[in-house]
Amino acid sequence: MRGYPVTRGPVSRLKVVAAPEPVTVPRHVPVIVRDVYVAAAKVLADQGRLDAGNTILLENYCAEMATARRAERAVQRQGSFFLKKGQRPQSHPGIQIAQESRRQCRMLASRLGLIPETRDASRAASGDFVAADDDEDFGDV
């Protein structure tokens, strides 16, 4: 019996796991946020939540992120204020656009479950998750 390993007890079997399918980014997703789409799609796929409804939310999330990034770039190029002769300085409209887009991104990210705190809260609300603070006191048993 030389050459065969000697084991004590049952031999564990290897589990074959298929490699995850690569994420395909739709052509209408702006180039500026393709990295965001891939990262978010991987998170949703790992959670088993990458369905048609969440794909639409993900595309909206990417569109808002692209708007925010473009507005921030415009502010960086043109400055935070506009100066016109005889008038007071006015803030760049890109600042407000970027703030609103970031707010929409946070809302969509929480709906998708991309924010860890939101993900934990939704799991706790569904009864899927038991927090460490919820340990029962078995002092009387």
Side-chain angles (χ1 to χ4, degrees), residues 18-38:
E21 293 182 21
V23 176
T24 56
V25 181
R27 289 191 308 157
H28 60 273
V29 173
V31 175
I32 194 170
V33 289
R34 287 187 181 261
D35 59 331
V36 174
Y37 186 94
V38 170

Side-chain angles (χ1 to χ4, degrees), residues 124 129-137:
F129 176 72
V130 178
D133 299 342
D134 294 341
D135 293 339
E136 293 185 22
D137 185 20

